[in-house]
Amino acid sequence: MTTHVMTENLATEATTRSARTAGRHAMAPATGNGMNGALPTGANQIVHARVLSRGVDALQAKFAQVLDDGLIRRTVHAAYRELNRTARLKTYLPTLALNRAETRLREIADRTAAAGTPEAETLDGMTAAA
């Protein structure tokens, strides 16, 4: 049976090994995004705004003859704000808001057509002429 005795060379080698960095990842330069190489986890406001804008355009084309463009825009943004207050995962927030807004706009259009009146309510409780 052999035993290891720490000699002068082994002690010096252990000291230099512990003084080195933890590997190639620790030596990698930090990226210029201020996140130290991590991936972004928050909502991308630019992408959200673009998706909402395209969704509003699509809903305006769909409900153009029945509802006012301002009502459609307000309903979409109100649905987005409502979901944004409670959402923990914000990746699919614009899509969910557009789906919710479309459902509400469809209900408003059906009520407007059934009643024959040009008034409709938005999510904020405001009444607007269609």
Side-chain angles (χ1 to χ4, degrees):
M1 177 185 290
T2 60
T3 59
H4 294 317
V5 177
M6 187 175 258
T7 60
E8 182 80 25
N9 290 340
L10 289 175
T12 306
E13 184 179 328
T15 305
T16 57
R17 189 178 308 129
S18 65
R20 290 185 205 151
T21 57
R24 65 184 167 110
H25 298 293
M27 296 177 63
T31 58
N33 63 4
M35 299 175 58
N36 295 329
L39 293 174
T41 57
N44 186 340
Q45 297 300 324
I46 297 170
V47 172
H48 283 209
R50 180 67 178 147
V51 171
L52 285 176
S53 174
R54 291 180 66 175
V56 166
D57 292 342
L59 289 173
Q60 286 174 345
K62 186 173 187 174
F63 293 106
Q65 297 175 350
V66 182
L67 300 174
D68 182 35
D69 290 347
L71 174 67
I72 294 170
R73 190 179 309 106
R74 286 191 308 269
T75 305
V76 168
H77 289 292
Y80 182 83
R81 285 191 309 271
E82 179 183 309
L83 290 171
N84 192 30
R85 270 187 245 123
T86 58
R88 292 186 338 186
L89 177 65
K90 300 188 187 256
T91 303
Y92 304 107
L93 191 59
T95 305
L96 294 172
L98 288 169
N99 287 339
R100 180 174 284 191
E102 183 177 4
T103 301
R104 290 184 180 168
L105 288 169
R106 190 176 301 116
E107 292 171 0
I108 292 170
D110 290 344
R111 280 194 312 236
T112 303
T117 60
E119 293 187 359
E121 291 185 26
T122 64
L123 295 176
D124 296 331
M126 298 182 295
T127 304

